[in-house]
Amino acid sequence: MHDAQKLKLFPATLKDSALKWFMSLGVHSITTRGQMKEAFLGKYRDYCMPSNLKDEVFKMTQKEDDNLEDLVKRFVYNVKREKMDNLDEETLKSLLLRAVKDEWIDLLNLTGK
């Protein structure tokens, strides 16, 4: 199968937030399979990498292109994957807030007032 065919079939392999992400890409923004691979791995690499360390949750940071929804999804995924979902609510909140960029914290503080 040629790269162009693989690129056309790629969206059929996606679901939920990955499909939503793909659909948000601009028309013709990805023209090669290599570009798709780089874009997809750039977005979802953390989901694909095996991990034996709970450190990953403690070291999480919001990526440049992450909105809060993306960050929370990745955080929840990592917490469940590392079987840390038994932590108390305050600890989980603290860990998540540590991962949020400062400018988002400021916005959250303004919204909460």
Side-chain angles (χ1 to χ4, degrees):
M1 184 178 291
H2 297 289
D3 277 358
Q5 291 170 315
K6 289 179 183 177
L7 187 58
K8 276 188 169 183
L9 293 173
F10 181 72
T13 67
L14 303 174
K15 61 183 181 179
D16 301 330
S17 61
L19 182 58
K20 182 180 171 184
W21 165 80
F22 177 81
M23 298 305 285
S24 74
L25 296 174
V27 177
H28 305 296
S29 63
I30 306 280
T31 58
T32 68
R33 186 170 173 259
Q35 288 174 337
M36 178 54 68
K37 179 180 176 181
E38 287 303 311
F40 184 81
L41 288 176
K43 181 72 174 171
Y44 293 102
R45 181 171 279 124
D46 288 347
Y47 293 95
C48 301
M49 296 175 76
S51 173
N52 298 333
L53 305 173
K54 295 186 185 323
D55 261 5
E56 190 165 329
V57 174
F58 290 98
K59 292 181 180 179
M60 271 188 71
T61 57
Q62 188 174 6
K63 295 180 180 180
E64 192 61 38
D65 62 340
D66 271 352
N67 59 36
L68 287 177
E69 182 182 2
D70 292 336
L71 176 65
V72 169
K73 284 180 183 179
R74 195 162 44 93
F75 179 80
V76 169
Y77 173 84
N78 285 334
V79 165
K80 286 181 179 180
R81 181 179 68 177
E82 299 302 337
K83 297 177 178 48
M84 296 175 69
D85 45 357
N86 61 341
L87 290 174
D88 65 275
E89 188 175 318
E90 287 303 312
T91 302
L92 289 171
K93 281 182 190 176
S94 295
L95 288 171
L96 178 59
L97 287 173
R98 279 187 15 200
V100 176
K101 288 183 193 174
D102 289 341
E103 61 260 26
W104 283 96
I105 294 289
D106 293 342
L107 181 64
L108 289 171
N109 285 333
L110 284 174
T111 306
K113 290 184 179 177

